[in-house]
Structures are given as C-alpha cells and as structure tokens.
Amino acid sequence: MTLEGKNEELRRFIADISHELRTPLALIKAYATGIQDGLDDGTYTEIIRKKTDDMTEMVDRLLLFSKLQVEPYTYASVEIRQLLTGILDTYRLSFEQQGLSVRYEDLLPPVGGTVMADEAKLASVFHNLLTNAMKYTADETIRVRAERRVGVFHFEITNAVGPSARSPADWDHVWEPFYVMESSRSKLYSGTGLGLSIVRTILEKHHAIYGVRPDADEVTFYFSLPFMDHHSDPEIVRS
C-alpha cells in the first residue's frame, strides 16, 4: 500500500472511531438530561449503563487491536483438532440459545494434526469467526469445515446472508476496522466492527493464507496454516 493509501486508511479509521463513539455519547447525554428534567420512566439509567458498557467494549477491542500489531507472538506446536473442538464446545450453549445449529465437518488426519502457532491468538481467530457468523447468519445453520489440504490445515466457516449483502467486491472491505455491510448500521449489524480486523492481523502475523468467498446467498471465511513436520522447533518467539 502506498503512503497516500495508508494515510487515507488512517483518516477513515479515525473518522469511524469518532462516529462509533459519538453515537453512544450523544445517547448518554440525552438520557442524562432526561433524568435531570424528571422524564425518566424507570429505564433511563439502564440505557445509560448499556451504552457505557458498549463504549467500554469498543475501547477494550481497540486496545487489543493495537496490541496485536506490536506485541511478540509465541509460536509453539498446537494440536489443531483439540483446539477447534474445544472452542466449538464452548459455543454450543450460545448457539442453542439463539436457535442456531453448527454442522461441523471434521476431515482432519487422525494423527499429526499440529500447526506452529500462537495458541491463544489462533483461538481468538476461531472465536471471532464464530461470533461473526452468529451475528450475521440469515438462517439457523452455520457450517464449519476443517481438513487437510496438501500439507496444510484448512478451515472454513459458512453462513447464509440476507438481501442486504452487497456485491462480491464489497466483501473485500470486511477486514477493515469498523466496516459493516449494512450502511444504515442497523441493530442487526451492530457490534464493535473490529472482529474481522483482529482476525486479519493475527493471520497475517502467522503468514496464513486467508480470505472471504461470497456467493449469491451465503459467505465463507477461510484460512490455511501449514502442518508441522516432526523436526520443527517446539517453541519460538517472533515479533
């Protein structure tokens, strides 16, 4: 990316942060004024608390996003099936509560399924992709696929999309901070808008192949990491 391109991305990033923070601040001010004016119907303090929590989450995610750019990554042998199935198990209740189901296709080898990765950060990739699918799926089923492809671990997660999804070219921007597919920023598409940016940052630090593959009525996010050979150094630290 050229210097001008980076500057433009920075300007857009700052503008988006300003937008995302200004909206809850305006609501907090409005409801606080309502309390002062005696208009509270018993819900105003709860709305203020909720908006404050939203802002706290956003700041925490921004700090995480910033930290991921500079902190060292500790790479070690990670048993990928164990990591993935453990994470899927933790989401089981959340999926059930939202009336969703996960169809998991496990095509990994019975042995030798290890990758060189920072386990905590790779877990964050899975968490963010699962959460993203939960937020935006247009039906009740999310498909997860894990397999071996010519010496690499390949992961895919697919969910249906509604008519508000735009052209395939627009999906290229989903990795950008605060980008949302719905220009009106409706409640359905609410969130910090940083999850996929965090995914991109972590995968690029791992030198992973990753991408998004939109279709007419669904979208698939994917990434690949090389499987380890038996002579790999068990633990190294990289910046």
Side-chain angles (χ1 to χ4, degrees):
M1 182 182 292
T2 65
L3 179 59
E4 179 57 33
K6 290 181 179 179
N7 287 338
E8 177 58 31
E9 188 174 86
L10 178 60
R11 285 192 290 269
R12 184 169 60 247
F13 182 60
I14 293 172
D16 286 340
I17 291 175
S18 300
H19 172 88
E20 295 293 337
L21 292 175
R22 186 181 295 115
T23 299
L25 281 171
L27 287 171
I28 289 170
K29 182 178 180 180
Y31 281 100
T33 300
I35 292 173
Q36 288 181 327
D37 293 342
L39 302 176
D40 186 7
D41 62 0
T43 65
Y44 283 26
T45 55
E46 176 60 22
I47 293 171
I48 290 173
R49 186 198 63 77
K50 174 63 169 59
K51 293 304 173 183
T52 302
D53 288 345
D54 289 345
M55 290 178 64
T56 300
E57 180 188 3
M58 187 183 306
V59 170
D60 288 344
R61 299 280 276 182
L62 279 167
L63 290 172
L64 172 61
F65 181 59
S66 176
K67 187 169 71 170
L68 287 170
Q69 314 289 326
V70 296
E71 72 175 5
Y73 281 44
T74 302
Y75 293 79
S77 173
V78 176
E79 209 295 314
I80 198 67
R81 174 187 278 120
Q82 181 178 339
L83 177 63
L84 177 54
T85 55
I87 290 171
L88 287 171
D89 284 343
T90 65
Y91 275 82
R92 195 176 306 280
L93 180 60
S94 295
F95 277 107
E96 291 175 356
Q97 289 175 339
Q98 296 190 40
L100 301 174
S101 63
V102 178
R103 195 168 72 205
Y104 176 39
E105 189 174 8
D106 182 353
L107 300 176
L108 294 173
V111 293
T114 59
V115 299
M116 183 68 77
D118 184 311
E119 184 168 355
K121 294 181 177 65
L122 185 56
S124 182
V125 168
F126 288 129
H127 283 300
N128 278 292
L129 290 176
L130 283 164
T131 301
N132 184 74
M134 289 173 64
K135 285 181 180 179
Y136 300 115
T137 186
D139 64 16
E140 294 77 30
T141 302
I142 293 168
R143 303 198 309 275
V144 174
R145 180 185 179 96
E147 62 180 320
R148 185 183 187 100
R149 286 188 180 178
V150 195
V152 302
F153 164 73
H154 184 77
F155 174 85
E156 294 187 351
I157 182 166
T158 303
N159 61 269
V161 294
S164 59
R166 302 178 186 175
S167 68
D170 290 314
W171 285 98
D172 294 337
H173 298 288
V174 297
W175 308 106
E176 299 172 6
F178 299 113
Y179 184 84
V180 289
M181 291 294 291
E182 180 72 13
S183 60
S184 65
R185 298 174 183 264
S186 67
K187 184 177 180 181
L188 176 63
Y189 288 85
S190 65
T192 62
L194 290 170
L196 292 177
S197 296
I198 289 171
V199 168
R200 177 181 65 175
T201 298
I202 295 172
L203 291 178
E204 288 183 348
K205 289 284 189 177
H206 282 77
H207 305 290
I209 296 171
Y210 70 95
V212 57
R213 188 171 64 247
D215 202 348
D217 57 357
E218 64 181 24
V219 63
T220 298
F221 289 90
Y222 63 87
F223 72 89
S224 297
L225 284 171
F227 277 117
M228 291 179 60
D229 61 43
H230 297 295
H231 305 290
S232 297
D233 188 347
E235 183 170 343
I236 56 177
V237 178
R238 301 175 190 164
S239 59

